Amino acid sequence: MDGVVEDGSIYDEIGVPPVINATGTKTRIGGSRIRSEAVDAMVRASDSFVRISDMQAEASARIAEITGAEAGYVTSGASAGLLLGAAATLAGRDVHRMDRLPETSGIPDEIIMPRTHRTGYDHAFRAAGATIVDVGTNDRHLGTGATNVEPWEIEAAISDETAAIGYVQKSYTEPPLEVVTKIAHRHDVPVIVDAAAELPPVENFSRFIDDGADLVVFSGGKAIRGPQTTGIVAGRRDLIESIALQQLDMHAAAAVWDPPSALIDGDRLDAVPRQGIGRPMKVGKEELAGLIVALESFLEEDQAELAREWQDRAARISTVLSEIDGFETTVTSGNDVSVSPEVVVHIVPSEAGVSATDLVRALRRENPRVFVGTDRLDENIVTINPMCLTDEEADYVLDRIEACVGPSH
Ligand SMILES: *Cc1c(COP(=O)(O)O)cnc(C)c1O
């Protein structure tokens, strides 16, 4: 099918096959479509100079206003936000500790997490120097009990070695965030919340701060549709200051070092930090400008209209696919595993002529490649997410799926 990807696209020009994204905001296939006004802001930002710390101070004020937090920071992704958040809870305002990370001998370095909140992304905590101490069980997952983690288990794990509590926000994570923050704050321990993909709804910008989170991390490259390599951290002013001190380029002459006071209280510091653990995760003026503009657009967007569009597209895809022999489809509601509804396609290989794995492999060999969701392959299920598809691309996906099934396969 011609016309899904414009002829002479940059990927054509470079010589790399393009992808049609039927699986949502996945980093490995490019995340999301950046908003055109954000691209425009990046192009304009690229042509002149600005002090990066001034841009971060302005971003901080805007993030604070949107989230209700004291301050904010733009990182090179939500994962970088988790690393920097951990670094802030490890080092605080201590310049010597900043200099030592990720080496933590003599520094409280444990981050407590319910075992059911462990993800591949928590490598970011360990990269900052933290040791993860996980508590609770997987009883619910294994069918061996009703509760994965009790609040007292988190409290019992807190000691003099505790730097923070790590929490992954999903509609079904337990215990509720406000229960965890109450326990943490009784012991003066901060809570870092990974809410990378929990937008929309825009109300979530402030919800986790309201629930007591000390730092909340969102991805800038998912539904916000800012630059792919951006993320947002919102939270306590002192922790954001520590993040700034460990992330900004610090090749500074002490006599003239004058960081923006809204972000860094230089007068209270007795020394200029060295390049910190966050320096390899730099954020450029282009990303900062792009994210700030994307945030504005995201807030102005008609979310109900967007939700209807995703719902309609998912329903249409589901109807067409349900007519294929051996395919059974259902549509999930949004705000469960994904913020958008998804089409769940259960494949009966003996009737469809392909297994879910065969289908996924064949679709990835198309040109343009087609990527569908593969988290449930072991159940012979593929999922289709409408968020990153146009209607024309959805037609291409349906056409290619139809071409990949049947007796000849
Ligand atoms: C996407 C995601 C991340 C990583 O976000 P980036 O902005 O790509 O770094 C971290 N945690 C969760 C739960 C995510 O969904």
Side-chain angles (χ1 to χ4, degrees):
M1 188 178 288
D2 288 334
V4 230
V5 175
E6 68 183 295
D7 283 343
S9 76
I10 185 65
Y11 303 120
D12 264 350
E13 200 176 307
I14 292 170
V16 173
V19 167
I20 302 302
N21 178 356
T23 178
T25 51
K26 299 285 189 290
T27 293
R28 58 194 168 272
I29 52 169
S32 60
R33 280 194 170 84
I34 183 171
R35 293 170 195 277
S36 58
E37 53 280 25
V39 176
D40 188 45
M42 292 177 80
V43 171
R44 289 164 61 205
S46 70
D47 198 37
S48 52
F49 297 88
V50 70
R51 193 167 67 157
I52 297 295
S53 54
D54 286 339
M55 284 292 274
Q56 285 285 8
E58 179 59 31
S60 175
R62 290 175 187 230
I63 293 166
E65 195 183 318
I66 295 168
T67 60
E70 290 172 1
Y73 204 77
V74 178
T75 63
S76 58
S79 290
L82 295 174
L83 193 161
L84 291 166
T89 64
L90 292 169
R93 302 184 90 256
D94 185 325
V95 171
H96 180 54
R97 286 184 177 190
M98 290 177 195
D99 194 44
R100 283 174 51 205
L101 293 186
E103 197 279 299
T104 58
S105 55
I107 301 174
D109 66 354
E110 292 181 359
I111 296 189
I112 298 167
M113 297 186 77
R115 192 157 293 156
T116 45
H117 291 228
R118 296 295 310 274
T119 75
Y121 294 111
D122 60 42
H123 200 143
F125 288 158
R126 290 184 285 127
T131 299
I132 295 173
V133 173
D134 58 18
V135 299
T137 65
N138 280 301
D139 270 335
R140 168 101 44 84
H141 173 64
L142 294 168
T144 47
T147 314
N148 287 324
V149 58
E150 298 286 353
W152 62 259
E153 292 178 289
I154 297 173
E155 185 148 31
I158 297 175
S159 73
D160 289 347
E161 294 305 315
T162 306
I165 292 176
Y167 189 98
V168 177
Q169 175 62 42
K170 291 280 170 188
S171 56
Y172 43 81
T173 39
E174 53 178 11
L177 179 57
E178 71 263 27
V179 172
V180 174
T181 58
K182 213 166 271 152
I183 293 168
H185 295 165
R186 259 206 304 273
H187 299 272
D188 234 355
V189 168
V191 178
I192 305 173
V193 177
D194 178 353
E198 302 312 295
L199 296 168
V202 292
E203 292 75 33
N204 279 357
F205 270 131
S206 55
R207 204 177 114 210
F208 315 127
I209 296 292
D210 290 345
D211 286 345
D214 298 272
L215 289 174
V216 182
V217 171
F218 298 102
S219 189
K222 292 179 178 170
I224 294 172
R225 291 173 54 206
Q228 256 313 288
T229 51
T230 56
I232 294 170
V233 186
R236 260 167 48 190
R237 179 178 303 285
D238 60 318
L239 294 173
I240 296 291
E241 180 184 34
S242 178
I243 287 176
L245 288 166
Q246 297 187 75
Q247 194 270 346
L248 288 170
D249 181 46
M250 279 295 162
H251 196 72
V256 288
W257 186 55
D258 181 28
S261 57
L263 199 58
I264 294 170
D265 185 355
D267 293 345
R268 287 204 311 165
L269 281 175
D270 49 10
V272 180
R274 290 282 187 184
Q275 305 284 28
I277 194 164
R279 178 63 182 77
M281 288 163 277
K282 81 166 163 188
V283 179
K285 57 192 184 303
E286 298 82 5
E287 281 77 21
L288 276 153
L291 181 75
I292 286 169
V293 168
L295 262 182
E296 276 176 10
S297 300
F298 177 66
L299 291 168
E300 283 165 11
E301 202 163 50
D302 184 344
Q303 297 296 336
E305 168 69 29
L306 203 57
R308 265 195 306 278
E309 186 189 314
W310 293 344
Q311 193 69 50
D312 290 350
R313 191 172 299 129
R316 183 167 75 84
I317 292 168
S318 174
T319 304
V320 174
L321 292 182
S322 69
E323 274 155 27
I324 297 176
D325 285 345
F327 276 38
E328 286 157 23
T329 64
T330 50
V331 178
T332 65
S333 56
N335 290 320
D336 190 1
V337 176
S338 164
V339 291
S340 119
E342 288 193 322
V343 185
V344 178
V345 186
H346 182 230
I347 298 174
V348 183
S350 58
E351 292 173 34
V354 288
S355 66
T357 308
D358 297 334
L359 178 65
V360 167
R361 289 205 177 114
L363 289 171
R364 289 184 182 185
R365 285 194 299 263
E366 293 287 337
N367 189 7
R369 300 182 190 278
V370 175
F371 273 70
V372 296
T374 56
D375 288 350
R376 295 175 67 185
L377 278 186
D378 57 335
E379 303 168 73
N380 251 307
I381 284 172
V382 299
T383 54
I384 297 184
N385 185 307
M387 273 178 94
C388 296
L389 288 173
T390 64
D391 284 330
E392 197 183 26
E393 290 169 346
D395 289 339
Y396 173 77
V397 172
L398 292 170
D399 182 74
R400 290 298 88 201
I401 290 176
E402 283 166 348
C404 290
V405 297
S408 62
H409 290 270

